[in-house]
Amino acid sequence: MPVKQTVPFVLDAEGTGVAQRLVVAGEHEHVFTADTYPSFGGQDAAPSPLSYLLGALTSCNQVTGSLVASGLGIAVGTWSFRIQGDLDPSVIAGGAEGNANFERVTVQVTVQTDASEEVFETFQAETERRCPVTQMFQRSGLAYSSSWHRAPLG
């Protein structure tokens, strides 16, 4: 039986107030910053953690989908995403009791591909099943929906 392997994802962060500088460790160090809206005590000088979270959902779907497409033998071109996360700020900002999570997340995806409609359905389902970030959203208890559309490869 093969030994299960894990890949460590390491990130170091430091900040003051609500702003942070984050560094992804590794051979090619990546640095990014996070802040938040003034209503949450920030300067809006960088994307908020919640924007990064939604961005991680788009990126993870695209990475995972590219792997799935390769396995299915289909070509993919440009990906387009529109994601909306609806958040009740009363817990995070006001200390109300309840769930600080998004109430709902809606994902719209358009992918240029040469896949038939039947293969595209498999492509979507397999991408969402294998994408770690999609799985975190789907299993978190929020109302999650996605709508995938195929566009001609051009």
Side-chain angles (χ1 to χ4, degrees):
M1 178 181 288
V3 176
K4 185 176 180 180
Q5 296 181 358
T6 59
V7 177
F9 287 79
V10 179
L11 187 130
D12 296 305
E14 185 175 273
T16 56
V18 297
Q20 277 191 331
R21 179 179 182 273
L22 303 101
V23 181
V24 178
E27 181 180 341
H28 301 284
E29 186 175 272
H30 300 285
V31 178
F32 62 104
T33 57
D35 195 9
T36 192
Y37 303 116
S39 59
F40 291 116
Q43 300 297 314
D44 199 15
S48 74
L50 297 175
S51 294
Y52 279 119
L53 183 62
L54 295 175
L57 182 57
T58 68
S59 298
C60 191
N61 270 280
Q62 188 167 328
V63 168
T64 305
S66 295
L67 295 168
V68 170
S70 178
L72 291 173
I74 61 173
V76 292
T78 301
W79 294 71
S80 300
F81 292 88
R82 177 158 181 90
I83 294 188
Q84 179 173 327
D86 297 331
L87 180 78
D88 174 357
S90 65
V91 176
I92 186 173
E97 292 299 319
N99 187 347
N101 197 0
F102 287 108
E103 291 180 358
R104 85 184 38 80
V105 170
T106 306
V107 180
Q108 295 176 351
V109 185
T110 301
V111 184
Q112 290 181 329
T113 183
D114 63 355
S116 68
E117 186 62 38
E118 182 180 317
V119 173
F120 188 75
E121 288 176 15
T122 300
F123 167 71
Q124 172 192 347
E126 191 65 5
T127 297
E128 290 187 325
R129 182 188 74 80
R130 291 170 49 180
C131 175
V133 179
T134 297
Q135 289 300 304
M136 286 177 40
F137 275 92
Q138 289 179 339
R139 295 173 186 219
S140 73
L142 60 79
Y144 181 91
S145 64
S146 66
S147 175
W148 287 58
H149 307 278
R150 88 189 151 103
L153 191 60

